[in-house]
Amino acid sequence: MKEKLQKIREEAIEKIQSSDNLDKLNEIKVAVLGKKGELTEVLKGMKDVAAEDRPKVGQLVNETRVAIEEKMEEMRKRLADVAREQKLKNEVIDVTLPSKKNFVGHRHPNTIALEELYRIFVGMGYEVVEGPEVEYDYYNFEALNIPANHPAKDEQDTFYINENIVLRTQTSPVQVREMEKGKLPIRMLAPGRVFRSDEVDATHSPSFHQVEGLVIDKNITFADLKGTLAEFAKELFGEDTKVKFRPHHFPFTEPSAEMDVSCFKCGGKGCRMCKGSGWIEILGCGMVHPRVFTMSGIDPDEYTGFAFGIGLERISLLKYEIDDMRLLYENDTRFLKQF
Ligand code: DAH
């Protein structure tokens, strides 16, 4: 009996030691300690052992089982460690590999142009303000010295919400809203969407954007207007840019002008960009009309000011030499991702 147990023990331990995976170890467990296992068989034979020897043999069987179980547990741990290490090795991440490309959106040409205007004018101390897109007739026309029967009001093809409310046709009403606040001096820039009932084509859209400028203080003169806008043109189109002011008419400014810049493409010699003239029209401007001041509660004898209105699309189309305004609104990513 003793020898038999010894043999079972040695053989089991040897098998355990030479097993190289957990499945094999399990097989051994079944073969030795299982219901029909070798050691179990020995236990079954206990009934043939003499009564006085039973405790001793029992103890021996137990020792054998414990020894085998301990060995098995030790091996199980070792194999589990090996298996885990192997798993980690297989799952290793090479952090030096290039990652998947992340696609980020592009800024719209209008956004880029607007940010450029902010950079220039905020740098000169202007504050950015906004006004409503749905606007009272009063702010859009009347307070800007465009009375009901004024031909300029006919010229503006306006979307009417009702008799008194329109979709603003210009950002100029923000001037009035700012003046009404009564906080002087004013140096403001008002960007925003405007609406006109135009047909869509390469140069027209029923909805586009303007950026309004307004400066009001004591002793502001046309020289301030010229100096400011000449500096703006240089910042936007380059140091060599020249400006030219042509007399014009706007009801809310007196005198009024349109400003041209020397063509940044040909330098003024004449090309396709400037249609051969060497000059490109860029904005409308003028000295704030005394009537506009009075209507907004500012004394025109004490304060003067200048205003300007820039078409944002005009700037982005010129800057990127885009020849069709519709491209700016279609949001075709093949177009947009160029910027
Ligand atoms: N509001 C004018 C327009 O839509 C543009 C404009 C011209 C704005 C002269 C001004 C200005 O502030 O002084 O055509």
Side-chain angles (χ1 to χ4, degrees), residues 90-103:
N90 291 342
E91 287 174 0
V92 98
I93 294 167
D94 182 352
V95 293
T96 66
L97 281 175
S99 63
K100 266 193 221 151
K101 198 168 158 44
N102 260 335
F103 289 97

Side-chain angles (χ1 to χ4, degrees), residues 273-286:
M273 188 94 178
C274 55
K275 301 194 187 85
S277 75
W279 295 94
I280 297 173
E281 184 201 318
I282 229 64
L283 54 80
C285 57

Side-chain angles (χ1 to χ4, degrees), residues 236-238 241 261-268 271 273-274 278-280 282 314-315 317-321:
L236 191 63
F237 295 114
T241 309
V261 294
S262 54
C263 180
F264 51 87
K265 184 91 184 186
C266 65
C271 67
M273 188 94 178
C274 55
W279 295 94
I280 297 173
I282 229 64
R314 188 156 178 74
I315 302 291
L317 294 180
L318 283 172
K319 211 169 157 59
Y320 292 108
E321 299 181 30

Side-chain angles (χ1 to χ4, degrees), residues 170 172 175 196 210 212 250 252-253 284-286 307-309:
Q170 47 187 357
S172 303
Q175 287 190 32
R196 294 189 193 171
Q210 289 185 338
E212 193 80 14
F250 298 106
F252 38 88
T253 46
C285 57
F308 53 89

Side-chain angles (χ1 to χ4, degrees), residues 149-213:
N149 59 353
H150 197 285
K153 195 171 169 181
D154 289 346
E155 276 164 32
Q156 315 247 17
D157 287 335
T158 308
F159 288 115
Y160 279 87
I161 302 285
N162 63 33
E163 220 184 303
N164 301 318
I165 300 175
V166 300
L167 295 187
R168 67 177 175 193
T169 61
Q170 47 187 357
T171 44
S172 303
V174 187
Q175 287 190 32
V176 180
R177 288 178 172 275
E178 205 56 23
M179 284 189 274
E180 278 188 354
K181 287 183 187 164
K183 269 206 274 167
L184 295 163
I186 293 171
R187 251 192 243 122
M188 67 141 226
L189 199 66
R193 190 185 282 276
V194 300
F195 306 85
R196 294 189 193 171
S197 56
D198 280 329
E199 293 290 331
V200 174
D201 65 26
T203 53
H204 292 87
S205 163
S207 159
F208 56 102
H209 300 81
Q210 289 185 338
V211 181
E212 193 80 14

Side-chain angles (χ1 to χ4, degrees), residues 30-254:
V30 173
V32 181
L33 307 173
K35 259 191 192 157
K36 290 182 179 160
E38 287 174 63
L39 204 63
T40 320
E41 291 299 321
V42 173
L43 273 176
K44 280 181 192 161
M46 284 287 270
K47 58 182 189 304
D48 303 327
V49 175
E52 65 265 35
D53 291 337
R54 273 186 203 160
K56 237 183 143 202
V57 176
Q59 196 189 349
L60 215 57
V61 172
N62 259 343
E63 275 172 22
T64 307
R65 193 221 307 283
V66 168
I68 294 172
E69 276 175 354
E70 273 174 3
K71 194 77 202 168
M72 212 165 248
E73 181 56 20
E74 181 194 319
M75 197 62 189
R76 196 193 58 75
K77 273 192 187 139
R78 202 186 308 162
L79 287 176
D81 279 352
V82 171
R84 209 186 58 222
E85 245 157 60
Q86 191 60 41
K87 192 161 174 247
L88 287 177
K89 217 187 248 170
N90 291 342
E91 287 174 0
V92 98
I93 294 167
D94 182 352
V95 293
T96 66
L97 281 175
S99 63
K100 266 193 221 151
K101 198 168 158 44
N102 260 335
F103 289 97
V104 284
H106 291 242
R107 284 184 307 163
H108 191 280
N110 276 354
T111 307
I112 303 174
L114 185 59
E115 283 175 0
E116 186 82 336
L117 297 189
Y118 283 170
R119 183 184 64 76
I120 298 168
F121 284 107
V122 172
M124 293 180 185
Y126 286 57
E127 188 191 346
V128 176
V129 297
E130 285 186 36
E133 291 174 0
V134 181
E135 184 58 285
Y136 288 106
D137 177 290
Y138 175 78
Y139 287 107
N140 195 77
F141 297 119
E142 206 181 321
L144 289 164
N145 197 31
I146 312 172
N149 59 353
H150 197 285
K153 195 171 169 181
D154 289 346
E155 276 164 32
Q156 315 247 17
D157 287 335
T158 308
F159 288 115
Y160 279 87
I161 302 285
N162 63 33
E163 220 184 303
N164 301 318
I165 300 175
V166 300
L167 295 187
R168 67 177 175 193
T169 61
Q170 47 187 357
T171 44
S172 303
V174 187
Q175 287 190 32
V176 180
R177 288 178 172 275
E178 205 56 23
M179 284 189 274
E180 278 188 354
K181 287 183 187 164
K183 269 206 274 167
L184 295 163
I186 293 171
R187 251 192 243 122
M188 67 141 226
L189 199 66
R193 190 185 282 276
V194 300
F195 306 85
R196 294 189 193 171
S197 56
D198 280 329
E199 293 290 331
V200 174
D201 65 26
T203 53
H204 292 87
S205 163
S207 159
F208 56 102
H209 300 81
Q210 289 185 338
V211 181
E212 193 80 14
L214 176 69
V215 172
I216 296 174
D217 205 345
K218 289 175 176 157
N219 303 318
I220 297 287
T221 69
F222 201 90
D224 295 308
L225 177 156
K226 282 179 83 173
T228 302
L229 295 178
E231 187 55 33
F232 156 67
K234 284 184 183 175
E235 287 262 3
L236 191 63
F237 295 114
E239 197 49 39
D240 297 330
T241 309
K242 292 187 201 60
V243 293
K244 180 170 86 174
F245 291 86
R246 282 179 291 100
H248 201 78
H249 171 75
F250 298 106
F252 38 88
T253 46
E254 180 59 35

